[in-house]
Amino acid sequence: MSSQAGAARGPGMGPGGRKMPDLTTGPIGKTLILFALPVLATNILQSLNGSANAIWVSHVLGEAALTATSNANQIMFLMLGAVFGLSMASNIMIGQAMGARDEATAKRVIGTSTAFFIVVSLTVGALGVYLTPHILDAMGTPADARRDAIAYLRVIFSAMPFMYFFSYVMMAQRGTGDSRTPFYFSLVMVGMDVVLNPLLITGFGPFPELGIAGSATATLVSQTITLFAMIVHLYRRKSILVLRPGEFHLLIPDLTIIKGLVLKGLPMGFQMMVTSLAAVTMMSLVNQHGVHTSAAYGAAAQLWTYVQMPAMALGAAVSSMAAQNIGAGKMDRVELVARSGALYALLFTAVPVVLIYLADPWVLRAFLPATSPSLPIAIHINSIVLWGFIPFGIAFIFSGVVRSTGAVWPPLLAMIISLWGVRVPLANLLEPSLGAEAIWIAFPIGSTTTLLLAGSYYLWGGWRKARMLPTTPMATEEPDTGFGQPMIEEAEAMADAASRAPAKEEAKG
């Protein structure tokens, strides 16, 4: 099908005349929040899952086991960060094609991305299983946590292909404007993982007693089952994201799209890898101060995940909204999306920071026993580090908007400077005189640097002229002011109304 034929369907029309979510019309603030809420709920579910795992590991297996999972999880986040850029590039390409009503291009992106992710995920999983001990040794994992960390991380690497593809499919759905379906399936996945975790750790009933490997095995099983269930659901709903007989030739890579995935995706992946490598480096510095400090850092980091989640959800929302509006040629709305996102990030990051400050001694006891010598260390870490997530959250919004055009190098350079030019060197420079205190101080200083760099490029950089795909926006009758009715409802919720008024929709197209 040609792009003109796709456009002829009218705004938001999908396969078979099904109505698709449209992020290029409606009130900016309301649409942004409605899109971000399912993303936030998904992030909360995944973090609650990680926290539940940490609680079981720490209380059943001890602080050394918690240190093992903290070290292994840094590697897992690094590997997920590596694929994030490719997922994000695919998300942006799909979003720009959908905004331009170019279904043919969207389908080519989906086919090429699917084949690409299968190859990448299997390769990373196989290499990771083999290299696990060497990776942990390079991190300086404490000796009393090394064996557990190896057992845990090897199973995690076995689950990596399914985790990669699950992440890709969720991001692709958000590119089409659907943030709800990923939430529903994340709910299923997390529920399954939370139930299986204690059963496989302790060997309750007929389940094998796997110890720390049981926690990772629960992740493997839940990710695999949920991924296949989600793919079946997309086929049943006739989603644009799945290939049907007659479309499998789209799995043959399109070199233009591969070039875009690599040249645009790798810098975004490098940005996540730079962040994760900095976290691994900081973890290595923390490990030098003993298992109690490492356990305190791991417990505090559990709370930091929740603090970052609103900004991350808003960042995903502004990227998807901006990509569709860029594809539609509505740069005025892109600017409004950025401003609204930054204000919401300021508000919704500050609230959890204040709440944790007020409740810190009690919430940390979920991860550390009340008598643990790590508990006061964790409280002190939070008193210094937490506030730095506020500027980082705002910077995340600016970077998300900039990346949605295809301008991917400036956010990467800003992150490299703030983390590897400020945070890590500052921690190393001050540690001989301040000890572990230098590590905690470096966090907010690095985050403030990130905001200064990201904000400056947003205001004065040339990102507004960049594009990810050579799509032509569908002509619009008049500019959208951002005060109309929102069109954020999920595709399946709108399908009946679309089918009842095909003539009206064709007229609009």
Side-chain angles (χ1 to χ4, degrees):
M1 179 180 294
S2 68
S3 62
Q4 287 81 5
R9 298 183 203 273
M13 295 306 293
R18 299 180 68 83
K19 191 76 173 177
M20 299 296 292
D22 186 357
L23 305 179
T24 65
T25 60
I28 298 293
K30 185 175 181 180
T31 302
L32 180 62
I33 291 297
L34 289 176
F35 189 91
L37 283 176
V39 182
L40 175 60
T42 300
N43 292 344
I44 290 173
L45 282 172
Q46 293 174 342
S47 295
L48 284 173
N49 183 35
S51 297
N53 294 353
I55 290 169
W56 278 106
V57 168
S58 64
H59 287 278
V60 175
L61 302 175
E63 288 186 1
L66 178 62
T67 299
T69 59
S70 296
N71 278 262
N73 283 338
Q74 294 291 349
I75 300 301
M76 180 181 71
F77 296 146
L78 173 62
M79 294 296 99
L80 291 174
V83 80
F84 168 83
L86 300 174
S87 298
M88 195 66 196
S90 178
N91 171 297
I92 293 170
M93 286 183 179
I94 293 170
Q96 289 187 8
M98 296 294 289
R101 319 304 177 206
D102 189 347
E103 184 183 314
T105 298
K107 275 288 188 180
R108 289 200 305 273
V109 172
I110 291 161
T112 296
S113 299
T114 298
F116 193 71
F117 272 88
I118 290 173
V119 173
V120 170
S121 62
L122 291 175
T123 302
V124 170
L127 287 175
V129 169
Y130 175 72
L131 295 173
T132 289
H134 307 289
I135 294 170
L136 292 170
D137 288 344
M139 281 183 65
T141 303
D144 49 357
R146 183 180 182 276
R147 192 172 81 172
D148 281 346
I150 291 174
Y152 181 86
L153 188 56
R154 274 190 164 147
V155 180
I156 288 294
F157 269 119
S158 299
M160 200 65 71
F162 305 101
M163 298 170 75
Y164 270 16
F165 211 74
F166 189 81
S167 174
Y168 157 64
V169 175
M170 287 200 304
M171 294 281 279
Q173 288 177 83
R174 291 169 185 166
T176 67
D178 178 11
S179 62
R180 297 184 183 182
T181 302
F183 163 69
Y184 298 142
F185 282 94
S186 291
L187 182 63
V188 173
M189 185 271 292
V190 170
M192 194 181 307
D193 198 343
V194 168
V195 170
L196 288 175
N197 219 278
L199 299 178
L200 292 174
I201 290 175
T202 62
F204 182 82
F207 293 90
E209 183 179 352
L210 301 178
I212 196 170
S215 180
T217 302
T219 299
L220 169 61
V221 173
S222 60
Q223 286 272 359
T224 304
I225 293 175
T226 308
L227 172 61
F228 283 107
M230 184 161 59
I231 292 173
V232 169
H233 170 79
L234 293 175
Y235 269 102
R236 293 184 63 186
R237 302 305 302 177
K238 298 180 181 179
S239 170
I240 191 175
L241 296 175
V242 294
L243 302 179
R244 298 188 171 276
E247 297 179 332
F248 292 127
H249 67 279
L250 295 173
L251 290 170
I252 300 173
D254 182 311
L255 295 182
T256 301
I257 294 172
I258 287 287
K259 181 180 178 181
L261 285 173
V262 173
L263 295 184
K264 302 296 186 179
L266 286 182
M268 290 188 283
F270 287 151
Q271 181 171 341
M272 296 301 293
M273 292 180 69
V274 163
T275 304
S276 296
L277 280 171
V280 170
T281 302
M282 299 298 272
M283 187 79 224
S284 299
L285 293 175
V286 172
N287 286 337
Q288 296 175 14
H289 295 273
V291 70
H292 294 309
T293 302
S294 296
Y297 181 81
Q302 288 289 331
L303 299 180
W304 302 347
T305 302
Y306 295 99
V307 173
Q308 296 178 82
M309 281 192 297
M312 293 179 68
L314 288 165
V318 299
S319 290
S320 296
M321 287 185 67
Q324 284 203 15
N325 282 282
I326 288 163
K330 297 182 176 182
M331 291 303 294
D332 55 331
R333 282 179 62 86
V334 174
E335 299 278 359
L336 292 173
V337 167
R339 295 173 194 172
S340 297
L343 289 173
Y344 284 135
L346 172 62
L347 174 63
F348 296 141
T349 305
V351 169
V353 167
V354 172
L355 291 177
I356 291 175
Y357 269 130
L358 296 175
D360 215 358
W362 296 276
V363 292
L364 281 168
R365 288 178 187 173
F367 310 103
L368 296 167
T371 58
S372 170
S374 299
L375 184 59
I377 302 174
I379 294 171
H380 177 68
I381 292 172
N382 274 343
S383 69
I384 298 174
V385 171
L386 271 176
W387 74 269
F389 288 105
I390 297 175
F392 186 82
I394 300 171
F396 201 81
I397 301 300
F398 291 139
S399 294
V401 173
V402 167
R403 283 195 302 263
S404 67
T405 66
V408 294
W409 284 102
L412 170 62
L413 294 175
M415 194 63 68
I416 290 174
I417 293 170
S418 62
L419 294 180
W420 291 97
V422 177
R423 178 181 293 178
V424 173
L426 186 64
N428 278 289
L429 179 66
L430 297 179
E431 191 185 24
S433 57
L434 298 180
E437 197 80 0
I439 303 172
W440 324 139
I441 293 172
F443 273 93
I445 295 176
S447 298
T448 302
T449 304
T450 304
L451 175 58
L452 291 174
L453 294 172
S456 297
Y457 185 76
Y458 171 78
L459 291 173
W460 300 299
W463 61 273
R464 292 165 181 83
K465 297 180 181 179
R467 291 295 181 272
M468 186 78 81
L469 284 174
T471 54
T472 301
M474 185 185 71
T476 55
E477 296 180 0
E478 57 184 86
D480 193 300
T481 60
F483 293 101
Q485 292 297 316
M487 298 181 66
I488 192 67
E489 293 301 316
E490 197 173 5
E492 51 263 44
M494 302 169 71
D496 292 339
S499 63
R500 285 196 296 268
K504 182 178 179 182
E505 292 298 333
E506 282 294 325
K508 289 182 180 179

